[in-house]
Short mmCIF file of all heavy atoms in Angstrom, two decimals:
data_model
loop_
_atom_site.label_atom_id
_atom_site.label_comp_id
_atom_site.label_asym_id
_atom_site.label_seq_id
_atom_site.Cartn_x
_atom_site.Cartn_y
_atom_site.Cartn_z
N VAL A 4 -10.68 -6.39 -4.19
CA VAL A 4 -10.28 -5.61 -5.36
C VAL A 4 -9.77 -6.59 -6.47
O VAL A 4 -8.91 -7.38 -6.19
CB VAL A 4 -9.23 -4.58 -4.99
CG1 VAL A 4 -8.78 -3.80 -6.24
CG2 VAL A 4 -9.70 -3.63 -3.93
N VAL A 5 -10.34 -6.39 -7.65
CA VAL A 5 -9.96 -7.27 -8.76
C VAL A 5 -9.09 -6.48 -9.72
O VAL A 5 -9.44 -5.34 -10.12
CB VAL A 5 -11.22 -7.81 -9.46
CG1 VAL A 5 -10.85 -8.71 -10.66
CG2 VAL A 5 -12.08 -8.55 -8.46
N GLN A 6 -8.03 -7.10 -10.16
CA GLN A 6 -7.16 -6.47 -11.17
C GLN A 6 -6.87 -7.46 -12.27
O GLN A 6 -6.75 -8.66 -12.03
CB GLN A 6 -5.81 -6.02 -10.55
CG GLN A 6 -5.90 -4.88 -9.62
CD GLN A 6 -4.55 -4.36 -9.19
OE1 GLN A 6 -4.12 -4.54 -8.04
NE2 GLN A 6 -3.81 -3.77 -10.14
N SER A 7 -6.75 -6.94 -13.48
CA SER A 7 -6.33 -7.77 -14.62
C SER A 7 -5.54 -6.95 -15.61
O SER A 7 -5.76 -5.74 -15.68
CB SER A 7 -7.54 -8.42 -15.29
OG SER A 7 -8.34 -7.44 -15.92
N PRO A 8 -4.60 -7.50 -16.33
CA PRO A 8 -4.16 -8.90 -16.14
C PRO A 8 -3.27 -8.99 -14.89
O PRO A 8 -2.94 -7.99 -14.30
CB PRO A 8 -3.38 -9.19 -17.39
CG PRO A 8 -2.80 -7.83 -17.76
CD PRO A 8 -3.89 -6.84 -17.40
N ARG A 9 -2.91 -10.21 -14.50
CA ARG A 9 -1.97 -10.38 -13.37
C ARG A 9 -0.55 -10.17 -13.84
O ARG A 9 0.29 -9.68 -13.05
CB ARG A 9 -2.13 -11.80 -12.77
CG ARG A 9 -3.44 -11.99 -12.01
CD ARG A 9 -3.57 -11.10 -10.76
NE ARG A 9 -2.37 -11.14 -9.95
CZ ARG A 9 -2.08 -12.10 -9.08
NH1 ARG A 9 -2.96 -13.07 -8.87
NH2 ARG A 9 -0.98 -12.06 -8.34
N TYR A 10 -0.26 -10.56 -15.04
CA TYR A 10 1.06 -10.39 -15.59
C TYR A 10 1.00 -9.89 -17.00
O TYR A 10 0.06 -10.25 -17.72
CB TYR A 10 1.82 -11.73 -15.59
CG TYR A 10 1.89 -12.38 -14.22
CD1 TYR A 10 0.92 -13.32 -13.84
CD2 TYR A 10 2.93 -12.08 -13.36
CE1 TYR A 10 0.95 -13.88 -12.57
CE2 TYR A 10 2.99 -12.68 -12.10
CZ TYR A 10 2.01 -13.57 -11.71
OH TYR A 10 2.07 -14.11 -10.46
N LYS A 11 1.96 -9.06 -17.38
CA LYS A 11 1.97 -8.54 -18.76
C LYS A 11 3.43 -8.32 -19.14
O LYS A 11 4.19 -7.71 -18.48
CB LYS A 11 1.22 -7.23 -18.82
CG LYS A 11 1.01 -6.71 -20.24
CD LYS A 11 -0.04 -7.50 -20.96
CE LYS A 11 -0.33 -6.89 -22.32
NZ LYS A 11 -1.33 -7.68 -23.10
N ALA A 20 -2.44 -1.50 -20.92
CA ALA A 20 -3.51 -1.01 -20.04
C ALA A 20 -3.79 -2.00 -18.96
O ALA A 20 -3.68 -3.25 -19.16
CB ALA A 20 -4.76 -0.78 -20.91
N PHE A 21 -4.11 -1.47 -17.80
CA PHE A 21 -4.42 -2.26 -16.60
C PHE A 21 -5.87 -1.92 -16.15
O PHE A 21 -6.20 -0.73 -16.24
CB PHE A 21 -3.48 -2.01 -15.47
CG PHE A 21 -2.00 -1.97 -15.84
CD1 PHE A 21 -1.22 -0.88 -15.56
CD2 PHE A 21 -1.43 -3.03 -16.52
CE1 PHE A 21 0.13 -0.80 -15.94
CE2 PHE A 21 -0.10 -2.98 -16.92
CZ PHE A 21 0.68 -1.86 -16.62
N TRP A 22 -6.54 -2.91 -15.68
CA TRP A 22 -7.92 -2.66 -15.25
C TRP A 22 -8.10 -3.01 -13.79
O TRP A 22 -7.45 -3.91 -13.26
CB TRP A 22 -8.82 -3.55 -16.14
CG TRP A 22 -10.28 -3.48 -15.75
CD1 TRP A 22 -11.18 -2.52 -16.10
CD2 TRP A 22 -10.98 -4.42 -14.98
NE1 TRP A 22 -12.42 -2.84 -15.59
CE2 TRP A 22 -12.33 -4.02 -14.89
CE3 TRP A 22 -10.62 -5.62 -14.34
CZ2 TRP A 22 -13.29 -4.69 -14.18
CZ3 TRP A 22 -11.60 -6.33 -13.66
CH2 TRP A 22 -12.93 -5.84 -13.57
N CYS A 23 -8.96 -2.29 -13.14
CA CYS A 23 -9.19 -2.46 -11.70
C CYS A 23 -10.71 -2.32 -11.41
O CYS A 23 -11.33 -1.34 -11.87
CB CYS A 23 -8.44 -1.46 -10.91
SG CYS A 23 -8.83 -1.47 -9.12
N ASN A 24 -11.21 -3.26 -10.67
CA ASN A 24 -12.58 -3.15 -10.15
C ASN A 24 -12.54 -3.13 -8.63
O ASN A 24 -12.09 -4.09 -8.00
CB ASN A 24 -13.43 -4.31 -10.64
CG ASN A 24 -14.88 -4.15 -10.26
OD1 ASN A 24 -15.36 -4.76 -9.37
ND2 ASN A 24 -15.56 -3.28 -10.95
N TRP A 34 -4.32 4.11 -7.58
CA TRP A 34 -3.32 3.34 -8.32
C TRP A 34 -1.93 3.66 -7.76
O TRP A 34 -1.57 4.81 -7.52
CB TRP A 34 -3.34 3.73 -9.81
CG TRP A 34 -4.45 3.21 -10.64
CD1 TRP A 34 -5.59 3.83 -11.09
CD2 TRP A 34 -4.54 1.86 -11.15
NE1 TRP A 34 -6.36 3.00 -11.82
CE2 TRP A 34 -5.73 1.77 -11.92
CE3 TRP A 34 -3.69 0.72 -11.10
CZ2 TRP A 34 -6.14 0.63 -12.55
CZ3 TRP A 34 -4.10 -0.41 -11.72
CH2 TRP A 34 -5.30 -0.47 -12.44
N SER A 75 -11.73 1.15 -13.07
CA SER A 75 -10.77 2.15 -13.52
C SER A 75 -9.75 1.45 -14.47
O SER A 75 -9.49 0.27 -14.38
CB SER A 75 -10.05 2.81 -12.36
OG SER A 75 -8.97 3.69 -12.80
N THR A 76 -9.17 2.23 -15.37
CA THR A 76 -8.12 1.78 -16.29
C THR A 76 -6.95 2.72 -16.20
O THR A 76 -7.11 3.91 -16.16
CB THR A 76 -8.64 1.76 -17.74
OG1 THR A 76 -9.80 0.93 -17.81
CG2 THR A 76 -7.57 1.20 -18.65
N LEU A 77 -5.77 2.10 -16.09
CA LEU A 77 -4.52 2.84 -16.07
C LEU A 77 -3.77 2.45 -17.39
O LEU A 77 -3.68 1.26 -17.69
CB LEU A 77 -3.68 2.48 -14.90
CG LEU A 77 -2.27 3.13 -14.83
CD1 LEU A 77 -2.39 4.64 -14.59
CD2 LEU A 77 -1.44 2.47 -13.69
N CYS A 92 -3.70 -1.63 -7.43
CA CYS A 92 -4.97 -0.85 -7.29
C CYS A 92 -5.51 -1.08 -5.90
O CYS A 92 -5.38 -2.19 -5.34
CB CYS A 92 -5.99 -1.28 -8.33
SG CYS A 92 -7.55 -0.39 -8.22
N PRO A 109 -4.38 -7.74 -6.13
CA PRO A 109 -3.16 -8.55 -6.22
C PRO A 109 -2.07 -7.91 -7.09
O PRO A 109 -0.90 -8.33 -7.02
CB PRO A 109 -3.67 -9.83 -6.87
CG PRO A 109 -4.86 -9.41 -7.66
CD PRO A 109 -5.50 -8.29 -6.90
N GLY A 110 -2.45 -6.89 -7.85
CA GLY A 110 -1.43 -6.21 -8.66
C GLY A 110 -1.27 -6.78 -10.05
O GLY A 110 -1.65 -7.96 -10.32
N THR A 111 -0.71 -5.97 -10.95
CA THR A 111 -0.31 -6.42 -12.27
C THR A 111 1.20 -6.25 -12.38
O THR A 111 1.69 -5.12 -12.19
CB THR A 111 -1.00 -5.60 -13.37
OG1 THR A 111 -2.38 -5.78 -13.34
CG2 THR A 111 -0.46 -6.00 -14.74
#
Side-chain angles (χ1 to χ4, degrees):
Chain A
V4 176
V5 179
Q6 290 188 249
S7 68
R9 291 294 312 277
Y10 304 92
K11 189 73 176 179
F21 314 125
W22 176 81
C23 172
N24 186 256
W34 283 104
S75 175
T76 303
L77 178 68
C92 180
T111 296

